[in-house]
Coordinates of all heavy atoms in Angstrom, one line a residue:
Y332 N -47.1 150.7 -49.8 CA -47.2 149.4 -48.9 C -46.0 149.3 -47.9 O -45.8 150.2 -47.1 CB -47.1 148.2 -49.9 CG -48.0 148.3 -51.0 CD1 -47.6 148.5 -52.4 CD2 -49.4 148.2 -50.9 CE1 -48.5 148.5 -53.4 CE2 -50.3 148.3 -51.9 CZ -49.9 148.5 -53.2 OH -50.7 148.6 -54.3
F333 N -45.3 148.1 -47.9 CA -44.0 148.1 -47.2 C -43.0 147.8 -48.2 O -43.4 147.2 -49.3 CB -44.1 147.0 -46.1 CG -44.8 147.4 -44.8 CD1 -45.7 146.5 -44.3 CD2 -44.6 148.6 -44.3 CE1 -46.3 146.9 -43.0 CE2 -45.3 149.0 -43.1 CZ -46.2 148.1 -42.5
G398 N -42.2 130.6 -46.7 CA -42.3 131.5 -47.9 C -42.7 132.9 -47.5 O -42.1 133.9 -47.8
T399 N -43.9 133.0 -46.7 CA -44.4 134.3 -46.5 C -45.1 134.3 -45.0 O -45.3 133.3 -44.4 CB -45.6 134.6 -47.4 OG1 -46.6 133.6 -47.2 CG2 -45.2 134.6 -48.9
A400 N -45.3 135.6 -44.5 CA -46.0 135.7 -43.3 C -47.4 135.0 -43.3 O -47.9 134.5 -42.3 CB -46.1 137.1 -42.8
S401 N -48.1 135.0 -44.5 CA -49.3 134.4 -44.6 C -49.3 132.9 -44.3 O -50.1 132.3 -43.7 CB -50.0 134.6 -45.9 OG -50.0 136.0 -46.3
E402 N -48.2 132.2 -44.9 CA -48.1 130.8 -44.6 C -47.7 130.6 -43.2 O -48.1 129.5 -42.6 CB -46.9 130.3 -45.6 CG -47.2 130.2 -47.0 CD -46.0 130.1 -47.9 OE1 -45.4 129.0 -47.9 OE2 -45.7 131.1 -48.5
Q447 N -56.8 145.9 -36.9 CA -55.7 146.3 -37.6 C -54.7 145.2 -38.0 O -53.7 145.5 -38.7 CB -54.9 147.4 -36.7 CG -55.7 148.6 -36.4 CD -56.2 149.3 -37.7 OE1 -55.4 149.8 -38.5 NE2 -57.5 149.3 -37.9
A448 N -55.0 144.0 -37.7 CA -54.1 142.9 -38.0 C -54.2 142.7 -39.6 O -55.2 143.1 -40.2 CB -54.6 141.6 -37.3
H449 N -53.2 142.0 -40.0 CA -53.2 141.8 -41.5 C -54.3 140.7 -41.9 O -54.6 139.8 -41.2 CB -51.8 141.3 -41.9 CG -51.7 141.2 -43.4 ND1 -51.8 140.0 -44.1 CD2 -51.3 142.2 -44.3 CE1 -51.6 140.3 -45.4 NE2 -51.3 141.7 -45.6
S450 N -54.8 140.9 -43.1 CA -55.9 140.1 -43.6 C -55.5 138.6 -43.7 O -56.4 137.7 -43.8 CB -56.3 140.6 -44.9 OG -55.3 140.8 -45.8
S451 N -54.2 138.4 -43.7 CA -53.7 137.0 -43.8 C -54.2 136.2 -42.6 O -54.2 134.9 -42.7 CB -52.2 136.9 -43.9 OG -51.6 137.6 -42.9
I452 N -54.5 136.7 -41.5 CA -55.0 135.9 -40.4 C -56.4 135.3 -40.6 O -56.6 134.2 -40.4 CB -55.0 136.8 -39.0 CG1 -53.6 137.5 -38.9 CG2 -55.4 135.9 -37.9 CD1 -52.4 136.6 -38.9
T507 N -49.8 141.8 -33.4 CA -49.0 142.4 -34.4 C -48.0 143.4 -33.8 O -48.4 144.2 -33.1 CB -49.9 143.1 -35.4 OG1 -51.0 142.2 -35.8 CG2 -49.0 143.4 -36.8
I508 N -46.8 143.3 -34.2 CA -45.8 144.3 -33.9 C -45.5 145.0 -35.3 O -44.8 144.4 -36.2 CB -44.5 143.7 -33.3 CG1 -44.8 143.0 -32.0 CG2 -43.5 144.8 -33.2 CD1 -43.6 142.2 -31.5
G509 N -46.1 146.1 -35.5 CA -45.9 146.9 -36.7 C -47.1 146.6 -37.7 O -46.9 145.9 -38.7
T510 N -48.3 147.1 -37.4 CA -49.5 146.7 -38.2 C -49.3 147.3 -39.6 O -48.5 148.3 -39.8 CB -50.7 147.3 -37.6 OG1 -50.6 148.7 -37.4 CG2 -51.1 146.6 -36.2
T511 N -50.0 146.8 -40.5 CA -49.9 147.1 -41.9 C -50.3 148.6 -42.2 O -49.7 149.3 -42.9 CB -50.7 146.2 -42.8 OG1 -50.5 144.8 -42.4 CG2 -50.4 146.3 -44.3
G512 N -51.4 148.9 -41.6 CA -51.9 150.2 -41.8 C -51.0 151.4 -41.2 O -50.7 152.3 -42.0
D554 N -47.1 138.4 -35.2 CA -46.7 138.8 -36.6 C -46.0 140.1 -36.6 O -46.6 141.1 -36.3 CB -48.0 138.8 -37.4 CG -47.8 139.3 -38.8 OD1 -46.7 139.4 -39.3 OD2 -48.8 139.5 -39.5
A555 N -44.7 140.0 -36.9 CA -43.9 141.2 -37.0 C -43.4 141.3 -38.5 O -42.1 141.6 -38.6 CB -42.8 141.3 -36.0
A556 N -44.2 141.0 -39.4 CA -43.7 140.8 -40.8 C -42.8 142.0 -41.2 O -41.7 141.6 -41.7 CB -44.9 140.7 -41.8
H557 N -43.2 143.1 -41.0 CA -42.4 144.2 -41.5 C -41.4 144.7 -40.4 O -40.2 145.0 -40.7 CB -43.3 145.4 -41.9 CG -42.5 146.7 -42.1 ND1 -41.7 146.9 -43.2 CD2 -42.4 147.8 -41.4 CE1 -41.1 148.1 -43.1 NE2 -41.5 148.6 -42.0
N583 N -40.5 139.0 -41.8 CA -40.1 138.9 -43.3 C -38.8 139.6 -43.6 O -38.9 140.8 -43.8 CB -41.2 139.5 -44.1 CG -42.4 138.6 -44.3 OD1 -42.4 137.5 -43.8 ND2 -43.5 139.2 -44.8
H585 N -37.8 139.6 -46.3 CA -38.1 140.0 -47.7 C -38.8 141.4 -47.7 O -39.0 141.9 -48.7 CB -38.8 139.0 -48.5 CG -40.2 138.7 -48.1 ND1 -40.7 137.4 -48.0 CD2 -41.3 139.5 -47.9 CE1 -42.0 137.4 -47.7 NE2 -42.4 138.7 -47.7
K586 N -39.1 141.9 -46.5 CA -39.6 143.2 -46.5 C -38.6 144.2 -46.2 O -38.2 145.1 -47.2 CB -40.7 143.4 -45.5 CG -42.1 142.8 -46.0 CD -43.2 143.0 -44.9 CE -44.6 142.9 -45.5 NZ -44.9 141.7 -46.1
F592 N -37.6 138.4 -51.9 CA -38.7 137.5 -51.8 C -38.4 136.2 -52.3 O -37.8 136.1 -53.4 CB -39.9 138.2 -52.5 CG -41.2 137.5 -52.2 CD1 -41.9 138.0 -51.1 CD2 -41.7 136.5 -53.0 CE1 -43.1 137.4 -50.9 CE2 -42.8 135.9 -52.7 CZ -43.6 136.4 -51.7
N595 N -39.6 134.3 -45.1 CA -40.2 134.5 -43.8 C -39.6 133.7 -42.7 O -39.4 132.5 -42.9 CB -41.7 134.2 -43.9 CG -42.3 134.3 -42.5 OD1 -42.4 133.3 -41.8 ND2 -42.9 135.4 -42.1
Ligands
LIG1743 N1 -48.4 140.7 -41.8 C1 -48.2 142.0 -41.9 C2 -48.2 142.9 -40.7 C3 -48.1 142.6 -43.1 O1 -47.8 143.9 -43.3 C4 -48.1 141.8 -44.3 C5 -47.9 142.4 -45.6 O2 -47.6 143.5 -45.8 C6 -48.3 140.4 -44.1 C7 -48.5 140.0 -42.9 C8 -48.4 139.5 -45.3 O3 -47.1 139.3 -45.7 P1 -46.8 138.1 -46.8 O4 -46.9 138.6 -48.1 O5 -45.4 137.7 -46.4 O6 -47.7 137.0 -46.6

Side-chain angles (χ1 to χ4, degrees):
Y332 308 111
F333 282 137
T399 61
S401 305
E402 288 162 71
Q447 297 302 298
H449 192 262
S450 52
S451 52
I452 308 307
T507 312
I508 298 175
T510 57
T511 313
D554 174 11
H557 169 71
N583 285 348
H585 71 225
K586 279 187 163 54
F592 192 87
N595 170 273

